[in-house]
Amino acid sequence: MSESRKSLSFPKWLLLLGCIIIAAVFIFNLGAVTGDSSMERIGQFGDAMGGITAPVLNLISSILVFYALKAQVDANNQIQCQIEDQKKTKEVQDESENLHLLYRYLDENINSFNFSSLPKEYLRNKKSLIFNKNLTGGKAFEQLTQQMRCHFHGPQQVLEENQFVSEYFSILTLMDELITKLLICKCANKDILLVLVKHQFLYKIANNIKGNDIDTLVVEYCDDCKCNHGLPENIRNVIKNIQKRLIDVK
């Protein structure tokens, strides 16, 4: 039996009990006026009926009013719970849609990322590099990280202020933020999005450094080149953080 039926059963029985009491009192006192239909006897009968049944009826009325108010409160609570459930469902749906939009934005930025070259006057060992070609997507990230790690021999400030490097750092930061949101969200498809993000990271953004310990890519002095080179600290830290949080994603 549902809660609503249980809450209505007691008032029904109470109302039935009141009717039985009134009927019993009426039948019990009916003999007092049988054969005597004078107004005085009828008045006495009415007074007796009213005096006996009035307290019972008042009590029953009070109890019924209480149950009516309780039923209204329960109905209001149920409606409020439904509203809260709908609100939570809407929040999860909105969160899921926002995360999808954020992933699509990240995907578009990764695929549209283009790179030609870091400032050539600071590059060494240029024979292995690709010039005069505007690379996009995974190839662009691969060429940029290769030049930063091995070929750039200029001031770190020049590297950090380079437009390609700044955009690369921006995409990494966006990916890191998306991972943060996915790990704490409640949407049902978060695992799928995390797998997609991991795929983007491993096979496009960090394809040629995914097998390296990121700490070995720190900017250090190279005895062969007589110069400092490596990944800038801000980029290295974001990559390290992304690697750490994606390690358990399957």
Side-chain angles (χ1 to χ4, degrees), residues 77-92:
N77 289 337
Q78 186 175 7
I79 293 173
Q80 185 63 35
C81 289
Q82 292 174 350
I83 293 174
E84 291 295 329
D85 290 341
Q86 291 175 355
K87 182 180 178 181
K88 290 179 181 178
T89 302
K90 183 66 166 55
E91 288 176 352
V92 172

Side-chain angles (χ1 to χ4, degrees), residues 36-232:
D36 186 356
S37 59
S38 65
M39 293 300 295
E40 182 180 356
R41 295 294 292 174
I42 293 174
Q44 291 175 352
F45 174 74
D47 291 340
M49 285 288 294
I52 295 172
T53 59
V56 177
L57 291 176
N58 289 336
L59 178 61
I60 292 175
S61 297
S62 299
I63 295 174
L64 291 176
V65 169
F66 167 77
Y67 271 91
L69 293 174
K70 183 177 182 298
Q72 184 63 48
V73 171
D74 291 342
N76 291 340
N77 289 337
Q78 186 175 7
I79 293 173
Q80 185 63 35
C81 289
Q82 292 174 350
I83 293 174
E84 291 295 329
D85 290 341
Q86 291 175 355
K87 182 180 178 181
K88 290 179 181 178
T89 302
K90 183 66 166 55
E91 288 176 352
V92 172
Q93 290 176 346
D94 290 344
E95 184 180 40
S96 179
E97 291 177 3
N98 290 335
L99 289 173
H100 271 91
L101 288 174
L102 190 58
Y103 175 77
R104 284 200 293 268
Y105 180 72
L106 174 65
D107 182 58
E108 290 172 0
N109 275 266
I110 290 174
N111 291 328
S112 63
F113 177 75
N114 66 86
F115 174 71
S116 55
S117 173
L118 293 175
K120 294 180 181 179
E121 62 270 24
Y122 295 116
L123 297 178
R124 305 282 178 86
N125 304 318
K126 300 179 184 180
K127 292 182 179 180
S128 61
L129 298 178
I130 301 174
F131 292 116
N132 302 321
K133 187 175 181 181
N134 197 29
L135 303 173
T136 59
K139 289 291 185 181
F141 289 110
E142 182 178 355
Q143 185 67 201
L144 173 58
T145 52
Q146 180 181 348
Q147 289 192 18
M148 285 192 294
R149 289 175 58 195
C150 307
H151 301 277
F152 184 81
H153 291 72
Q156 282 297 303
Q157 183 177 356
V158 173
L159 182 62
E160 292 172 1
E161 293 176 354
N162 180 267
Q163 179 62 35
F164 297 119
V165 177
S166 297
E167 188 175 351
Y168 180 47
F169 177 68
S170 174
I171 292 173
L172 286 171
T173 303
L174 178 61
M175 176 174 283
D176 190 42
E177 181 65 24
L178 177 57
I179 294 171
T180 299
K181 293 181 180 298
L182 286 172
L183 290 175
I184 62 175
C185 78
K186 299 178 181 179
C187 56
N189 56 352
K190 59 181 289 185
D191 293 335
I192 296 175
L193 289 175
L194 280 170
V195 170
L196 292 174
V197 171
K198 184 175 183 178
H199 177 83
Q200 295 275 27
F201 176 73
L202 291 180
Y203 300 105
K204 288 188 178 180
I205 291 182
N207 184 47
N208 59 339
I209 59 174
K210 61 186 178 184
N212 297 95
D213 182 354
I214 194 64
D215 290 328
T216 64
L217 304 179
V218 64
V219 177
E220 291 183 333
Y221 183 78
C222 177
D223 291 329
D224 295 333
C225 303
K226 306 301 180 183
C227 183
N228 294 325
H229 57 78
L231 293 183

Side-chain angles (χ1 to χ4, degrees), residues 229-248:
H229 57 78
L231 293 183
E233 183 179 5
N234 58 346
I235 291 178
R236 194 175 66 256
N237 288 339
V238 178
I239 291 176
K240 185 176 182 179
N241 193 44
I242 292 174
Q243 285 180 332
K244 180 180 178 181
R245 294 195 292 170
L246 289 179
I247 192 170
D248 295 326

